[in-house]
Amino acid sequence: MTSPLRDPADFIRGNTALHEPPLIPEISLHLATEIVPIWQMTEEELEKSGLPPPFWAFAWAGGQALARHILDNPSVTSGKSVLDFGSGSGLIGIAAAKSGGTPVLCADIDGFAVAAIKINAASNGVAVEVTAEDLVGVENRGWDVILVGDMCYERPLAERIEAWLRRLAGEGVEVLIGDPGRTYLPKSGLEKIVSYAVKTTRELEDTDVRNTSVWRVLPI
């Protein structure tokens, strides 16, 4: 395993390989695979190494579903200001940029994710802005569309995000969530738009295929 480096970009390039997510062959991402050691590292080992868990190194089911929906329906983001919140690898933001979103801001508080987003955007020939600022609770900064994938895995975080997103939806922002039905996905106030069968791996999920939906957040 490559030792953590001062430059996260070097770490990412040294510990991932360029692959296309199963549902999004149009986009290539630097991802962990069975053939690179980051796959086997436990969260405890990562913490000892001074690294946060590498959520950015995987194309999660919700992100794949939301990216697929955007690529198939470019009017969702074309010509609009887009926020990809909790961006991870940058998959959703890259799909938004490919579909004509401008500007596209990818936000993730993990510095390694910030580096991964920049690398992945360059690999796909698109321009996105990137920030490590925690945006939960901020006022709308001109966003027409907010895209969120796979962020409902912890109760406190999911509750903070839900309240913020509902407020912004009430102000007229189009808010879409991609999620395979994780525990803390809101049980009400969502409109299902489309569902996909997303191929996954048992190292990440509890099944080889996850039925994953794209939801519109309804205003309060």
Coordinates of all heavy atoms in Angstrom, one line a residue, residues 1-5 8 10-17 31-43 45-54 56-58 112:
M1 N 0.8 -1.2 0.0 CA 0.0 0.0 0.0 C 0.9 1.2 0.0 O 1.8 1.4 0.8 CB -0.9 0.0 1.3 CG -1.9 1.1 1.3 SD -3.1 1.0 0.1 CE -4.0 2.5 0.3
T2 N 0.6 2.1 -0.9 CA 1.3 3.4 -0.9 C 1.1 4.1 0.4 O 0.0 4.2 0.8 CB 0.9 4.2 -2.1 OG1 1.1 3.5 -3.3 CG2 1.6 5.5 -2.2
S3 N 2.1 4.7 0.9 CA 2.0 5.5 2.2 C 1.2 6.8 1.8 O 1.3 7.3 0.7 CB 3.3 5.9 2.7 OG 4.0 4.7 3.1
P4 N 0.4 7.3 2.8 CA -0.3 8.5 2.6 C 0.8 9.6 2.2 O 1.8 9.8 2.8 CB -0.9 8.8 3.9 CG -1.1 7.5 4.5 CD 0.1 6.7 4.1
L5 N 0.5 10.4 1.2 CA 1.4 11.4 0.7 C 0.8 12.8 1.0 O -0.4 13.0 1.3 CB 1.5 11.2 -0.8 CG 2.1 9.9 -1.3 CD1 2.0 9.8 -2.8 CD2 3.5 9.7 -0.8
P8 N -2.7 14.4 -2.1 CA -3.7 13.4 -2.2 C -3.8 12.9 -3.7 O -4.1 11.7 -3.9 CB -5.0 14.1 -1.8 CG -4.5 15.2 -0.9 CD -3.2 15.6 -1.4
D10 N -1.5 12.2 -5.8 CA -0.5 11.2 -6.0 C -1.0 9.9 -5.3 O -0.8 8.8 -5.9 CB 0.9 11.5 -5.3 CG 1.6 12.6 -6.2 OD1 1.2 12.8 -7.3 OD2 2.5 13.2 -5.6
F11 N -1.6 10.0 -4.2 CA -2.1 8.8 -3.5 C -3.2 8.2 -4.3 O -3.3 6.9 -4.5 CB -2.7 9.2 -2.1 CG -3.3 8.0 -1.4 CD1 -2.6 7.1 -0.6 CD2 -4.7 7.8 -1.4 CE1 -3.1 6.1 0.0 CE2 -5.3 6.8 -0.8 CZ -4.5 5.9 -0.1
I12 N -4.1 9.0 -4.9 CA -5.2 8.5 -5.7 C -4.7 7.8 -6.9 O -5.2 6.7 -7.2 CB -6.2 9.7 -6.0 CG1 -6.9 10.2 -4.7 CG2 -7.2 9.2 -7.1 CD1 -7.5 11.5 -4.9
R13 N -3.8 8.4 -7.6 CA -3.3 7.8 -8.8 C -2.6 6.5 -8.5 O -2.6 5.6 -9.4 CB -2.4 8.8 -9.5 CG -3.1 10.0 -10.1 CD -2.2 10.8 -11.0 NE -2.8 12.0 -11.6 CZ -2.7 13.2 -11.0 NH1 -2.0 13.4 -10.0 NH2 -3.4 14.2 -11.6
G14 N -1.9 6.4 -7.4 CA -1.2 5.2 -7.0 C -2.0 4.1 -6.5 O -1.5 3.0 -6.4
N15 N -3.2 4.4 -6.1 CA -4.0 3.3 -5.4 C -5.4 3.1 -6.1 O -6.2 2.4 -5.4 CB -4.2 3.7 -4.0 CG -2.9 3.7 -3.2 OD1 -2.4 2.6 -2.8 ND2 -2.2 4.8 -3.1
T16 N -5.6 3.6 -7.3 CA -6.8 3.3 -8.0 C -6.5 3.0 -9.4 O -5.4 3.1 -9.9 CB -7.8 4.5 -7.9 OG1 -7.1 5.6 -8.6 CG2 -8.1 4.9 -6.5
A17 N -7.5 2.6 -10.1 CA -7.4 2.4 -11.6 C -8.6 3.0 -12.3 O -9.7 3.2 -11.7 CB -7.4 0.9 -11.9
L31 N -11.1 4.5 -9.6 CA -11.8 3.7 -8.5 C -10.9 2.6 -8.0 O -10.0 2.1 -8.6 CB -13.1 3.0 -9.2 CG -14.1 4.0 -9.8 CD1 -15.2 3.2 -10.5 CD2 -14.7 4.9 -8.8
A32 N -11.2 2.2 -6.7 CA -10.6 1.1 -6.1 C -11.2 -0.2 -6.7 O -12.4 -0.2 -7.0 CB -10.8 1.1 -4.6
T33 N -10.4 -1.2 -6.9 CA -10.9 -2.5 -7.5 C -10.3 -3.6 -6.7 O -9.4 -3.4 -5.8 CB -10.5 -2.6 -9.0 OG1 -9.1 -2.9 -9.0 CG2 -10.8 -1.4 -9.8
E34 N -10.6 -4.8 -7.0 CA -10.1 -6.0 -6.3 C -8.6 -6.1 -6.5 O -7.9 -6.7 -5.7 CB -10.7 -7.3 -6.8 CG -12.2 -7.4 -6.4 CD -13.1 -6.8 -7.5 OE1 -12.6 -6.0 -8.3 OE2 -14.3 -7.1 -7.4
I35 N -8.0 -5.4 -7.5 CA -6.6 -5.6 -7.8 C -5.7 -4.5 -7.2 O -4.5 -4.5 -7.3 CB -6.3 -5.6 -9.3 CG1 -6.8 -4.3 -10.0 CG2 -7.1 -6.8 -9.9 CD1 -6.4 -4.2 -11.4
V36 N -6.3 -3.6 -6.5 CA -5.5 -2.6 -5.8 C -5.8 -2.6 -4.3 O -6.9 -2.8 -3.9 CB -5.8 -1.1 -6.3 CG1 -5.2 -1.0 -7.7 CG2 -7.3 -0.8 -6.4
P37 N -4.8 -2.4 -3.5 CA -4.9 -2.7 -2.0 C -5.8 -1.9 -1.3 O -6.3 -2.3 -0.2 CB -3.4 -2.5 -1.5 CG -2.6 -2.7 -2.7 CD -3.4 -2.1 -3.9
I38 N -6.2 -0.7 -1.7 CA -7.1 0.1 -1.0 C -8.4 -0.6 -0.7 O -9.1 -0.3 0.3 CB -7.4 1.5 -1.7 CG1 -8.0 2.5 -0.7 CG2 -8.2 1.3 -2.9 CD1 -8.1 3.9 -1.3
W39 N -8.8 -1.5 -1.6 CA -10.0 -2.3 -1.4 C -10.0 -3.0 -0.1 O -11.1 -3.2 0.5 CB -10.2 -3.2 -2.6 CG -11.5 -4.0 -2.6 CD1 -11.7 -5.2 -2.0 CD2 -12.7 -3.6 -3.3 NE1 -13.0 -5.6 -2.2 CE2 -13.6 -4.6 -3.0 CE3 -13.0 -2.6 -4.1 CZ2 -14.9 -4.6 -3.5 CZ3 -14.3 -2.5 -4.6 CH2 -15.2 -3.5 -4.4
Q40 N -8.9 -3.6 0.3 CA -8.9 -4.4 1.5 C -8.7 -3.6 2.8 O -8.8 -4.2 3.9 CB -7.7 -5.5 1.3 CG -8.0 -6.6 0.4 CD -7.7 -6.3 -1.0 OE1 -6.9 -5.4 -1.3 NE2 -8.4 -7.0 -1.9
M41 N -8.3 -2.4 2.7 CA -8.1 -1.6 3.9 C -9.4 -1.4 4.7 O -10.4 -1.0 4.1 CB -7.4 -0.3 3.5 CG -6.0 -0.4 3.0 SD -5.3 1.2 2.7 CE -4.9 1.7 4.4
T42 N -9.3 -1.7 6.0 CA -10.5 -1.4 6.8 C -10.5 0.0 7.2 O -9.5 0.7 7.1 CB -10.4 -2.3 8.1 OG1 -9.3 -1.9 8.8 CG2 -10.3 -3.8 7.7
E43 N -11.6 0.5 7.7 CA -11.7 1.9 8.2 C -10.7 2.1 9.3 O -10.1 3.2 9.4 CB -13.1 2.2 8.6 CG -14.1 2.3 7.5 CD -15.4 2.8 7.9 OE1 -15.5 3.4 9.0 OE2 -16.4 2.7 7.2
E45 N -7.7 0.7 9.7 CA -6.4 0.8 9.1 C -6.2 2.2 8.4 O -5.2 2.8 8.5 CB -6.2 -0.3 8.1 CG -6.0 -1.7 8.7 CD -6.0 -2.8 7.7 OE1 -6.6 -2.6 6.7 OE2 -5.3 -3.8 7.9
L46 N -7.3 2.6 7.8 CA -7.3 3.9 7.1 C -7.1 5.0 8.2 O -6.3 6.0 8.0 CB -8.5 4.2 6.3 CG -8.7 3.4 5.0 CD1 -10.1 3.4 4.5 CD2 -7.7 4.0 4.0
E47 N -7.8 4.9 9.3 CA -7.7 5.9 10.3 C -6.3 6.0 10.9 O -5.7 7.0 11.1 CB -8.7 5.6 11.4 CG -8.7 6.7 12.5 CD -9.8 6.4 13.5 OE1 -10.6 5.5 13.3 OE2 -9.8 7.2 14.5
K48 N -5.7 4.8 11.1 CA -4.3 4.7 11.6 C -3.3 5.4 10.6 O -2.3 5.9 11.0 CB -3.9 3.3 11.9 CG -4.6 2.7 13.1 CD -4.1 1.2 13.3 CE -4.8 0.6 14.5 NZ -4.4 -0.8 14.6
S49 N -3.7 5.3 9.3 CA -2.8 5.8 8.3 C -3.0 7.3 8.1 O -2.3 8.0 7.3 CB -3.1 5.2 6.9 OG -2.8 3.8 7.0
G50 N -4.0 7.9 8.8 CA -4.3 9.3 8.7 C -5.2 9.6 7.5 O -5.3 10.8 7.1
L51 N -5.9 8.6 7.0 CA -6.8 8.8 5.9 C -8.2 8.6 6.3 O -8.5 7.7 7.0 CB -6.4 7.8 4.8 CG -5.0 7.9 4.1 CD1 -4.8 6.7 3.2 CD2 -4.9 9.2 3.4
P52 N -9.1 9.4 5.8 CA -10.6 9.1 6.0 C -11.0 8.0 5.1 O -10.3 7.6 4.2 CB -11.2 10.4 5.5 CG -10.3 11.0 4.5 CD -8.9 10.6 5.0
P53 N -12.1 7.3 5.4 CA -12.6 6.2 4.6 C -12.7 6.7 3.1 O -13.2 7.8 2.9 CB -13.9 5.8 5.2 CG -13.8 6.3 6.6 CD -13.0 7.5 6.6
P54 N -12.3 5.9 2.2 CA -12.2 6.4 0.8 C -13.6 6.2 0.1 O -13.7 5.5 -0.9 CB -11.2 5.4 0.2 CG -11.4 4.1 0.9 CD -11.7 4.5 2.3
W56 N -14.8 8.2 -1.9 CA -14.5 8.7 -3.2 C -14.0 7.7 -4.2 O -14.0 7.9 -5.4 CB -13.5 9.9 -3.2 CG -12.3 9.5 -2.4 CD1 -12.0 9.8 -1.1 CD2 -11.1 8.8 -2.9 NE1 -10.8 9.2 -0.7 CE2 -10.2 8.6 -1.8 CE3 -10.8 8.3 -4.1 CZ2 -9.0 8.0 -1.9 CZ3 -9.5 7.6 -4.2 CH2 -8.7 7.5 -3.1
A57 N -13.6 6.5 -3.7 CA -13.0 5.5 -4.5 C -14.0 4.5 -5.1 O -13.5 3.5 -5.7 CB -11.9 4.8 -3.7
F58 N -15.2 4.7 -4.8 CA -16.3 3.8 -5.3 C -17.4 4.5 -6.0 O -17.8 5.6 -5.6 CB -16.8 3.0 -4.1 CG -15.7 2.3 -3.3 CD1 -15.2 2.8 -2.1 CD2 -15.1 1.2 -3.8 CE1 -14.2 2.2 -1.4 CE2 -14.0 0.6 -3.1 CZ -13.6 1.1 -1.9
F112 N -9.4 14.3 0.1 CA -9.0 13.3 -0.9 C -10.1 13.3 -2.0 O -9.8 13.1 -3.1 CB -8.8 11.9 -0.3 CG -7.5 11.8 0.4 CD1 -7.3 12.3 1.7 CD2 -6.5 11.2 -0.2 CE1 -6.1 12.2 2.3 CE2 -5.2 11.0 0.4 CZ -5.0 11.5 1.7

